[in-house]
């Protein structure tokens, strides 16, 4: 095991994990909100925000799917050392990490069941940019309307149409994170 695998975790795990968890829950509860997550230093190409989410939300019982360029030996070892999370196939994952193109198709992930809609996957989508503008958002946690830059509004609208089933999304870029729960309705027109 390389020394770099041992590095990049939380310096003060209880405090940093609690802060990161609160930030993750705030963005999930308020779609369109962007927060900073900067406690982890994961191996490339993983962003600081995505690495912080993995350290906060994953443990030895949490299956993680690594898509495309994110499926590296170094990331697998880093994840195993810091969280114990097993790397699994997309259909078995509670969390999936990658860019939008490599995470596709959405149909490969668990969407829950009518009895247990919470048994679905959450995708951590690495983005080139993340801004509170673009596709209009309405629904729970949004006072009137919010906006968020999304990689594929059409696919995300189809996902939301399955509600209460479907997957949830964290969108990450650098040290920034936003979320799009399946309960959010998407609109094409930008806010004026």
């Amino acid at each position: 095991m390389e020394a770099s695998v041992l590095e990049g975790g939380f310096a003060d795990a209880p405090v940093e994990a609690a802060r990161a968890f609160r930030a993750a829950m705030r963005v999930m509860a308020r779609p369109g909100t962007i927060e900073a997550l900067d406690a982890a230093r994961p191996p490339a190409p993983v962003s600081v925000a995505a690495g912080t989410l993995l350290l906060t939300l994953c443990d030895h019982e949490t299956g993680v799917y690594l898509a495309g360029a994110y499926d590296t030996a170094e990331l697998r070892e880093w994840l195993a050392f810091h969280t114990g999370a097993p790397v699994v196939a997309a259909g078995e994952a509670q969390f999936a990490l990658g860019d939008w193109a490599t995470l596709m198709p959405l149909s490969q992930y668990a969407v829950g069941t009518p009895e247990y809609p919470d048994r679905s996957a959450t995708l951590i989508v690495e983005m080139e940019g993340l801004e509170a503008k673009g596709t209009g958002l309405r629904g729970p946690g949004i006072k009137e309307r919010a906006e968020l830059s999304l990689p594929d509004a059409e696919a995300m609208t189809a996902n939301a149409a399955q509600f209460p089933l479907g997957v949830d999304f964290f969108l990450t870029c650098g040290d920034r994170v936003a979320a799009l729960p399946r309960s959010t309705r998407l609109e094409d027109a930008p806010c004026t």
Side-chain angles (χ1 to χ4, degrees):
M1 185 179 292
E2 294 184 30
S4 62
V5 170
L6 307 178
E7 299 169 354
F10 292 142
D12 185 357
V15 172
E16 291 173 339
R19 284 184 186 144
F21 185 78
R22 284 192 303 273
M25 293 303 100
R26 278 193 303 268
V27 298
M28 192 60 78
R30 300 194 180 283
T33 301
I34 298 173
E35 295 227 3
L37 278 183
D38 60 0
R41 297 295 177 262
V46 182
S47 70
V48 171
T52 302
L53 282 173
L54 290 170
L55 291 185
T56 304
L57 301 175
C58 298
D59 63 21
H60 69 282
E61 295 180 343
T62 310
V64 177
Y65 173 65
L66 303 174
Y70 294 85
D71 189 5
T72 66
E74 187 176 14
L75 180 55
R76 283 173 174 255
E77 290 176 7
W78 185 83
L79 195 59
F81 177 77
H82 291 283
T83 69
V87 176
V88 298
E92 302 169 17
Q94 283 86 35
F95 288 93
L97 170 68
D99 60 42
W100 184 256
T102 59
L103 286 168
M104 292 302 101
L106 292 180
S107 60
Q108 67 185 322
Y109 302 102
V111 295
T113 66
E115 297 81 19
Y116 300 101
D118 59 318
R119 292 184 181 168
S120 62
T122 299
L123 280 59
I124 302 171
V125 183
E126 293 273 53
M127 309 266 293
E128 289 187 17
L130 183 59
E131 300 181 60
K133 64 181 184 179
T135 304
L137 311 175
R138 291 193 190 271
I142 302 170
K143 186 172 182 177
E144 290 183 21
R145 182 178 160 116
E147 286 190 7
L148 192 60
S149 55
L150 300 176
D152 187 342
E154 187 176 322
M156 292 175 156
T157 298
N159 176 68
Q162 300 178 75
F163 184 80
L165 305 181
V167 298
D168 297 310
F169 303 94
F170 281 110
L171 309 171
T172 56
C173 180
D175 67 351
R176 297 161 45 94
V177 64
L180 188 71
R182 67 190 99 167
S183 60
T184 304
R185 296 183 315 275
L186 280 64
E187 302 175 341
D188 293 331
C191 293
T192 56

